[in-house]
Amino acid sequence: MRKHRAWCARRACGWFSLAQCCRSVCCQPFAGILPASQYQALVYCILIEFSYLTRSIEQSDSAPMLGLFKSPSNDTSTSWFARLKTGLKNTGSRLGSLLVARKIDEALFEELESALLAADTGVAASAELLRKLRDRASRKKLVAAQELKAELHELLVEALAPLQTTMEFHGARPFVIMLAGVNGAGKTTSIGKIAHLIQAQGLSVMLAAGDTFRAAAREQLAAWGERNRVSVISQPGADAASVIFDAVQSARSKNIDVVIADTAGRLHTQSHLMEELKKIKRVIAKADPLAPHAIWLVLDANTGQNALSQFKAFNDALGLTGLILTKLDGTAKGGVLTAIAQAQAGAPQKQASISGGRAANAVVPVVFIGVGETMEDLRPFNANEFVSALLDQD
């Protein structure tokens, strides 16, 4: 451990010295050493490096790698379900503490309503769940609160099942996936993980750096491309739509199976920014009339009911075909998926595949959920597994 600390200190000092060197020539923006844009990328790498160096001191006795290229975790002692359950433990603990050895009465239902609302389930979805719970308790003559837990599990699975789908990519070559979302939702990181999952199916992948606004966005995507050994199409200073258009053309000439296009984060409340997204979609269609074949919205699970507003705005603007819920390993409560399902209640369920397009007014499924930073921490959504974690069940 002592050698490890010394190694980390030397590594950190090396990065800091380089940054100081760049900073020392500030008469003109880092003239003679780095242009301003590359310096921004350097600062991004330094921040990532420090983050992983600090964490690695306590977690490993071996020298850590640069954070952007951190090796996938080989720890199989903590299963995917266990990590998901840990991420949703706040909600699970609160609901679990109510459904214990006590009788079923109106006070219990009121406490359950408060717990569901606190879990970001939303007013409409909570009211519907409680209505059905009351009906089942009366019809089945349930007495103990523990008996309601199985009923709540069944109702939640029933509500979320229409959001479950499968991951298949066929019917077009290249199959174009466009990702959208607000700032900081995790789009670029999700792209790297999705590329890994698609490659596991034996398909080739190309990435398009369509986020031409955020500093170091291209560098971050390039790092994920190197990590997955896939090509990244990037054009500094170019229009986002033209970058993605060129990527589709390049993928077609190289017989690439799937193109994943990144886009800049934007607030769903800014109409001019949403119009830019619509433009990107129209330009992609010029490369292939049926493209993009999939439009996925990345949602930060920690944003609560705001995620529902984002879903509605992006869906109205683009016609979404899938959702990705990230950061379930933080303070996320998980109930927002039930609110999204309730908002789509009555819509026809799409075929159990995301192989391209969707019928008008069809249910927008949840393609993936994420619980961590490594490539293995993004998995297809499974309703039964998610509800079991949400209710703190094994």
Side-chain angles (χ1 to χ4, degrees):
M1 177 63 76
R2 186 175 301 170
K3 291 181 179 179
H4 187 190
R5 290 178 186 273
W7 187 93
C8 290
R10 290 196 301 272
R11 186 74 173 273
C13 287
W15 278 107
F16 183 74
S17 298
L18 181 56
Q20 288 293 95
C21 180
C22 293
R23 196 177 159 205
S24 65
V25 281
C26 57
C27 297
Q28 296 196 3
F30 318 112
I33 297 183
L34 287 177
S37 62
Q38 291 185 19
Y39 183 75
Q40 288 177 327
L42 173 64
V43 172
Y44 172 80
C45 291
I46 291 172
L47 293 174
I48 295 293
E49 177 75 353
F50 283 163
S51 171
Y52 281 103
L53 284 173
T54 303
R55 187 178 305 173
S56 63
I57 290 176
E58 302 301 331
Q59 294 183 348
S60 172
D61 289 329
S62 60
M65 297 180 67
L66 176 65
L68 289 174
F69 300 95
K70 190 175 75 166
S71 298
S73 173
N74 294 318
D75 180 18
T76 57
S77 61
T78 305
S79 68
W80 159 261
F81 178 72
R83 295 198 299 277
L84 178 60
K85 190 175 176 181
T86 299
L88 298 173
K89 64 181 179 182
N90 290 336
T91 299
S93 298
R94 182 163 185 178
L95 287 172
S97 65
L98 293 176
L99 301 174
V100 292
R102 57 181 292 185
K103 67 177 183 177
I104 297 175
D105 54 19
E106 189 57 31
L108 173 61
F109 284 116
E110 289 179 2
E111 290 178 48
L112 276 176
E113 182 179 25
S114 297
L116 289 171
L117 290 172
D120 296 328
T121 305
V123 175
S126 297
E128 182 65 10
L129 282 171
L130 286 171
R131 183 188 68 78
K132 291 181 177 179
L133 266 181
R134 282 191 173 95
D135 179 66
R136 290 194 177 197
S138 174
R139 198 160 28 87
K140 296 184 178 182
K141 302 188 185 312
L142 303 181
V143 177
Q146 298 100 314
E147 298 175 286
L148 278 183
K149 194 167 191 176
E151 300 299 328
L152 181 59
H153 182 282
E154 189 175 322
L155 287 173
L156 284 170
V157 171
E158 184 181 293
L160 296 177
L163 302 186
Q164 190 170 312
T165 187
T166 57
M167 189 176 71
E168 297 177 5
F169 305 93
H170 55 73
R173 191 174 188 185
F175 187 96
V176 182
I177 304 170
M178 174 180 168
L179 263 68
V182 301
N183 309 68
K187 293 183 299 300
T188 306
T189 300
S190 295
I191 285 174
K193 298 174 182 179
I194 293 166
H196 175 70
L197 289 170
I198 294 174
Q199 285 181 303
Q201 296 188 15
L203 302 175
S204 55
V205 180
M206 178 179 285
L207 307 182
D211 185 352
T212 57
F213 179 78
R214 179 169 61 89
R218 294 191 306 273
E219 289 78 7
Q220 185 185 5
L221 194 66
W224 278 106
E226 183 175 342
R227 185 171 174 180
N228 285 302
R229 295 183 175 85
V230 301
S231 299
V232 179
I233 302 300
S234 175
Q235 299 174 15
D239 178 72
S242 65
V243 172
I244 301 173
F245 179 89
D246 289 346
V248 176
Q249 298 284 52
S250 177
R252 180 179 290 116
S253 66
K254 296 176 182 178
N255 291 319
I256 299 294
D257 296 309
V258 180
V259 173
I260 310 177
D262 193 9
T263 61
R266 65 201 67 228
L267 289 175
H268 56 291
T269 55
Q270 300 295 313
S271 58
H272 66 288
L273 296 179
M274 299 302 286
E275 287 299 322
E276 288 180 5
L277 261 186
K278 294 179 184 178
K279 174 192 170 184
I280 293 174
K281 181 182 177 182
R282 290 195 302 269
V283 172
I284 295 174
K286 293 180 180 179
D288 181 342
L290 297 178
H293 307 95
I295 305 174
W296 296 345
L297 175 65
V298 181
L299 295 170
D300 181 345
N302 297 293
T303 57
Q305 282 294 294
N306 188 258
L308 179 59
S309 300
Q310 293 173 34
F311 163 69
K312 291 178 178 178
F314 279 95
N315 192 37
D316 289 343
L318 298 173
L320 300 174
T321 65
L323 303 173
I324 300 173
L325 193 66
T326 63
K327 305 182 184 181
L328 282 167
D329 55 327
T331 58
K333 300 167 186 176
V336 68
L337 279 187
T338 310
I340 291 174
Q342 176 67 23
Q344 302 185 78
Q349 187 171 359
K350 187 177 174 291
Q351 291 181 350
S353 169
I354 53 172
S355 57
R358 71 182 180 96
N361 301 317
V363 170
V364 180
V366 177
V367 186
F368 300 107
I369 57 175
V371 297
E373 299 174 350
T374 70
M375 288 189 182
E376 291 73 20
D377 288 334
L378 189 75
R379 297 285 184 90
F381 173 68
N382 180 288
N384 185 66
E385 188 177 63
F386 184 83
V387 172
S388 293
L390 193 65
L391 296 180
D392 197 23
Q393 295 175 311
D394 294 325

